[in-house]
């Protein structure tokens, strides 16, 4: 285990093996007397995936497209819209709360997109020339919008 709690594999050479080696200074440095390598416990999986991506170019391009469609938009949305550029809290627990709240808002936004029903009446867009017709239609739309809002507010008040 390292200082952060991750399990690692550590390889060390002995001082006696490196003592008379002609490459010791290039490999270990002037002051260090042995070589130390730290690897993840999942190194075999990383190596296998790297080999798969370098040998098969079509597969690599396909995986890049899949990632750009699935992972990248989520990260971009989290960074740009949920203040994930910087976590302004102290401690791991508070940072974890920040990330959980950002992911919760993203998932709620995504959920709301599928649950909100679309209106049954579609508004038609009319291309009108600027002038009397445009001003009239703009005024008519604002009156119509205000009447709908006042009707919905009165229903809410009566409902409560």
């Amino acid at each position: 285990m390292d200082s952060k709690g991750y399990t690692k594999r550590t390889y060390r050479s002995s001082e006696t093996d490196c003592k008379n080696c002609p490459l010791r200074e290039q490999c270990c440095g002037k002051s260090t007397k042995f070589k130390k390598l730290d690897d993840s416990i999942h190194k075999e999986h990383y190596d296998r995936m790297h080999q798969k991506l370098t040998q098969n170019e079509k597969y690599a391009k396909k995986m890049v497209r899949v990632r750009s469609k699935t992972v990248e938009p989520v990260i971009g949305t989290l960074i740009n819209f949920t203040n994930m550029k910087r976590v302004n809290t102290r401690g791991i627990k508070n940072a974890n709360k920040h990330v959980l709240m950002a992911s919760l808002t993203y998932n709620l936004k995504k959920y709301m997109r599928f649950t909100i029903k679309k209106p049954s009446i579609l508004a038609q867009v009319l291309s009108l020339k600027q002038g009397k017709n445009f001003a009239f239609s703009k005024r008519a739309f604002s009156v119509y919008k205000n009447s709908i809002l006042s009707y919905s507010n009165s229903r809410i008040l009566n409902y409560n």
Side-chain angles (χ1 to χ4, degrees), residues 89-121:
T89 58
R90 289 189 176 184
I92 294 293
K93 288 183 181 178
N94 288 336
N96 191 23
K97 287 179 192 176
H98 186 89
V99 172
L100 285 174
M101 291 303 291
S103 61
L104 177 71
T105 56
Y106 179 80
N107 289 333
L108 280 174
K109 178 183 162 193
K110 197 171 178 183
Y111 177 73
M112 293 291 285
R113 202 175 320 145
F114 292 111
T115 58
I116 294 176
K117 295 185 178 180
K118 305 284 183 195
S120 59
I121 300 171

Side-chain angles (χ1 to χ4, degrees), residues 11-146:
Y11 302 98
R12 290 185 183 180
S13 65
S14 64
E15 291 182 31
T16 56
D17 291 340
C18 294
K19 190 177 192 178
N20 298 324
C21 181
L23 302 174
R24 188 186 72 76
E25 281 191 31
Q26 295 171 350
C27 182
C28 301
K30 291 182 180 180
S31 61
T32 311
K33 298 179 180 176
F34 61 91
K35 183 68 176 180
K36 178 182 169 187
L37 297 172
D38 289 328
D39 279 337
S40 169
I41 59 172
H42 306 292
K43 186 175 182 335
E44 294 84 22
H45 300 295
Y46 297 142
D47 291 341
R48 196 170 358 137
M49 190 63 189
H50 181 70
Q51 182 181 10
K52 194 175 185 180
L53 289 174
T54 54
Q55 286 180 350
N56 191 351
E57 193 173 319
K58 283 186 179 180
Y59 177 76
K61 285 183 180 180
K62 179 183 171 188
M63 292 307 293
V64 166
R65 281 195 302 273
V66 168
R67 179 181 171 150
S68 68
K69 283 190 267 183
T70 57
V71 177
E72 300 295 337
V74 175
I75 293 172
T77 302
L78 287 173
I79 287 172
N80 293 320
F81 300 113
T82 59
N83 198 22
M84 289 295 297
K85 286 182 186 173
R86 176 175 292 146
V87 178
N88 294 325
T89 58
R90 289 189 176 184
I92 294 293
K93 288 183 181 178
N94 288 336
N96 191 23
K97 287 179 192 176
H98 186 89
V99 172
L100 285 174
M101 291 303 291
S103 61
L104 177 71
T105 56
Y106 179 80
N107 289 333
L108 280 174
K109 178 183 162 193
K110 197 171 178 183
Y111 177 73
M112 293 291 285
R113 202 175 320 145
F114 292 111
T115 58
I116 294 176
K117 295 185 178 180
K118 305 284 183 195
S120 59
I121 300 171
L122 298 176
Q124 295 180 358
V125 178
L126 301 173
S127 61
L128 299 173
K129 295 180 181 176
Q130 288 185 353
K132 291 181 182 178
N133 292 339
F134 180 71
F136 174 75
S137 62
K138 187 175 179 182
R139 173 76 180 131
F141 178 73
S142 66
V143 168
Y144 177 70
K145 182 176 77 170
N146 291 337

